[in-house]
Amino acid sequence: MLERSIIQGRGFKNVEENGRITGFQIVLRNPNYRGTAASLLDGVDVTVDGEHWESHVPLWTLQGKTHTLESLRATTDVRWQLDEYATITVPKPGGLSAGVHTIEVTVYLRRPYFPPAVSRSAFPASAKATIVPPVPAGGIRHAVSTYSYSGDIYTSMSMEDVMADIADMGATGIEILGEGNIPGYPTPDPAWIDNWHAMLERYSLTPTNYGSWIDTAMWHDRDLTEDEGAAQLQLDLRLASQLGFSSIRPKFGVTSFQLDPHPIWEGVVERSLDLAEELDIVICPEIHSPTPIKHPVTQGYIDFIERTGSKHFKLLVDTGIFQTAAVDDGHEGIEVEDGKRPAFLEPLAVPMADLAEVLPHVHFIQAKFFEIDENLHDLHVPWEDIVKTLQDAGWEGWLSSEYEGRREPYRGREQVRRQHALVRQLQAKHG
Amino acid sequence: MLERSIIQGRGFKNVEENGRITGFQIVLRNPNYRGTAASLLDGVDVTVDGEHWESHVPLWTLQGKTHTLESLRATTDVRWQLDEYATITVPKPGGLSAGVHTIEVTVYLRRPYFPPAVSRSAFPASAKATIVPPVPAGGIRHAVSTYSYSGDIYTSMSMEDVMADIADMGATGIEILGEGNIPGYPTPDPAWIDNWHAMLERYSLTPTNYGSWIDTAMWHDRDLTEDEGAAQLQLDLRLASQLGFSSIRPKFGVTSFQLDPHPIWEGVVERSLDLAEELDIVICPEIHSPTPIKHPVTQGYIDFIERTGSKHFKLLVDTGIFQTAAVDDGHEGIEVEDGKRPAFLEPLAVPMADLAEVLPHVHFIQAKFFEIDENLHDLHVPWEDIVKTLQDAGWEGWLSSEYEGRREPYRGREQVRRQHALVRQLQAKHG
């Protein structure tokens, strides 16, 4: 699906020629209600952060070929279809800085079915969009969780759009929710699986972590047994393996406000370790606010690692535990009563020393966040401290964007780009 | 694609059992970020126009089977996937009245990974949606133009969604824009054409009118020749025929503010009449504001019909010509300068007597409109007069919804339902 905005967030980037940045590109969808012969295009005004380029200056890439406005006007077999993009290339030596920019465009189309005096129609559009810098070499690997696009997936984004967004920002890993993103779960159509692998190849993406659930309170009258829990985990391990994932996060039902997992967790995992080893998938329980690192729940997982000596059970850290400011944007399904926010949205502010201490056991990090402003300032999560801690330790796992802020359409897509721009700037600063 | 709103506009309807209306249905998408075992569902509160049904009352249809809340809780193999609908059936003898209703729902889901005291999560949602009454027998046939969904198609709606919406409101015809809705125009992939026909069959739809363009000012340096214009029209005639359409509306470039068509029109059409006859497709020029019926342009078309005696050239009337109030909602690509609105948005208020007089020549009507309020009152177009005129004349062609109001996401979809509800009520009143 195309983005609703005429100016697409995906595709906004600097252009490199022979090792030098010569300009930038903006991707547009056709603002009219019909496709048009390209000869009827009459230029595009572009203004970025107040700097202006006249309508005859930008180059147009349509249906795989790049034209000047002059050559576009003379074409006889080029079209701008409603379901196709136009890529607008604007010359600007050095390009645009990493971060958020204000873009304004006016697309000019001639419409011969309007009276000649008014047939040159102006279609103005504006947007904020983010230039994401390249990934610094070595160290942290960059992924995105489909969770970031909750509400967008299946309403304005297909799985292919998710992958295209991830690849466009130069990230290389994709994290999914098994029970969210696999049509026909737990028995997807083999054609869906084939297409999944074909798309991974097309967008050069690596499957990273697969989110699963073990719903211990699945029925009203009794809890899930250890047998049933193990069957669920093993079903998801096999499915994750079929799809190429290297870790799985089983979310067990909990029994307390401190998120103590249901007591079957240990038996369920222990019975599944042989399969995890066979499939080479790491089982990762999630350390999630309000549970900090220095806590019996986390310690229980570390004890399990030490007791079993398994290389296929490690920790997954959700960066919500490092939050230093509260989030009051609301959360689906959570009612805030008497102004009292739920514990997991309170700032837990786990110290970096705790992260450093536990990092050898950490396989995967969900880069939970809620809002990054136009100056690439995160309102809640201390990315500079986190990135420095990871880099100082030489940690080389996946950092997977998990946007959890307001679910306005397209907001997650733009916020994830901002997070990648921010984290990469910090990597470069401390690298 | 699912609609963004948890409460889907499509699927809101009364339920008939053994010839009696026993209740109504609301279609929902899953409000959570993951799919869920149906045993974790804990009911849905429903309120429509203030009338309330408790959460245990509605029936749930998931994955093709209908359950009470009690039987749903006991299921072991039923799921509510993120990409699947739940249909909620509410008992109400006599059902809901035709027209716009205020719907509020709260879906309850148990989430075992939340602390037990708060694991029953409430997901509230509300929407305005429209019950469309059945089509009165005989007379006017009901269609919808894809133009109604401009901006939605390719961003939140596939062609299949368009067809599903049309079928859901009991309309039976689809009108398209060739250069807007055919990927790869003018040479679509044969697989796309096969799928087009398969979808028509699935949704029991008849292709009606195909919008085409003859861009006489396609190039800067010269006008299209009659040869080139005829080639364009004949290309579209063949494509329309392949897709099963029975009429085509070529939009010629114009030469004046009164929308005088470019002089090649007559030669282009005349050279194409044999092909139109061979394919049995009626070529229909569009009578569009600011051109009224009593006008040399319209008269020119009637003269052509009389001179050629062709049964394959008739008129298409756009109901914007009957507008009695101005529209100031803006229009893509049109700049309003000094508060002066463009002529085609001024109310032309063509008298019904003119329509009655020309009706024998009218093959197709584009039911242009801009806004219908919650009381099914059209702010601009006098539907009662139009419907009465068509019914008095026994006119039996297609009336095809062409929403042209504000292009807010999903607005066209809801407005089209309102128009069908309004027109059918008027048909029943005057029938």
Side-chain angles (χ1 to χ4, degrees), chain A residues 11-314:
Chain A
F12 182 43
K13 60 182 59 162
N14 285 321
V15 179
E16 194 177 309
E17 285 176 290
N18 305 319
R20 293 178 53 214
I21 304 283
T22 56
F24 62 90
Q25 286 185 336
I26 303 169
V27 173
L28 305 179
R29 73 170 174 91
N30 188 327
N32 202 3
Y33 66 90
R34 64 174 279 219
T36 186
S39 62
L40 288 167
L41 292 169
D42 222 15
V44 56
D45 281 326
V46 175
T47 305
V48 176
D49 305 328
E51 186 174 353
H52 184 74
W53 291 265
E54 287 295 325
S55 64
H56 64 280
V57 174
L59 301 178
W60 290 75
T61 305
L62 284 169
Q63 302 186 317
K65 286 191 187 147
T66 301
H67 300 267
T68 62
L69 177 57
E70 223 34 54
S71 71
L72 202 64
R73 281 171 170 171
T75 55
T76 57
D77 60 352
V78 181
R79 301 187 52 76
W80 188 5
Q81 300 289 104
L82 287 196
D83 60 338
E84 293 178 1
Y85 298 113
T87 300
I88 304 300
T89 303
V90 180
K92 180 176 166 67
L96 296 170
S97 60
V100 185
H101 297 273
T102 300
I103 307 172
E104 294 158 275
V105 300
T106 301
V107 175
Y108 297 97
L109 290 177
R110 288 181 301 117
R111 302 199 279 187
Y113 51 92
F114 274 39
V118 297
S119 76
R120 186 182 195 247
S121 302
F123 292 82
S126 63
K128 304 266 184 195
T130 298
I131 296 277
V132 185
V135 175
I140 297 164
R141 286 177 292 167
H142 291 265
V144 179
S145 169
T146 53
Y147 180 75
S148 299
Y149 308 121
S150 293
D152 290 328
I153 296 181
Y154 301 128
T155 64
S156 61
M157 272 185 115
S158 64
M159 181 59 82
E160 179 154 11
D161 288 318
V162 170
M163 292 197 185
D165 265 34
I166 296 174
D168 185 67
M169 67 187 92
T172 52
I174 180 169
E175 179 182 9
I176 71 163
L177 309 176
E179 298 197 19
N181 310 128
I182 302 176
Y185 175 91
T187 48
D189 191 319
W192 186 88
I193 297 179
D194 289 347
N195 187 48
W196 164 262
H197 287 291
M199 289 194 298
L200 288 174
E201 196 173 321
R202 190 174 315 143
Y203 295 100
S204 302
L205 295 182
T206 301
T208 62
N209 184 61
Y210 171 111
S212 84
W213 283 264
I214 293 170
D215 287 315
T216 48
M218 180 173 288
W219 294 298
H220 266 252
D221 51 349
R222 65 173 182 83
D223 285 3
L224 223 57
T225 64
E226 207 172 282
D227 270 357
E228 290 167 332
Q232 177 69 58
L233 179 52
Q234 289 167 26
L235 176 160
D236 282 304
L237 274 165
R238 290 197 170 88
L239 196 44
S241 172
Q242 271 192 288
L243 300 179
F245 286 90
S246 54
S247 73
I248 188 169
R249 182 241 42 202
K251 208 170 182 89
F252 281 87
V254 303
T255 59
S256 75
F257 274 97
Q258 283 298 303
L259 306 191
D260 284 290
H262 190 284
I264 65 168
W265 83 264
E266 196 157 356
V268 166
V269 172
E270 197 151 2
R271 288 176 186 216
S272 306
L273 281 179
D274 285 353
L275 180 63
E277 187 161 0
E278 181 192 323
L279 303 174
D280 198 16
I281 292 182
V282 180
I283 300 172
C284 300
E286 182 172 345
I287 312 305
H288 191 291
S289 179
T291 309
I293 288 172
K294 298 284 189 194
H295 185 276
V297 168
T298 310
Q299 192 57 48
Y301 297 142
I302 294 171
D303 291 347
F304 182 93
I305 294 170
E306 288 171 354
R307 179 170 68 74
T308 61
S310 174
K311 300 237 175 299
H312 290 88
F313 185 81
K314 293 183 179 167

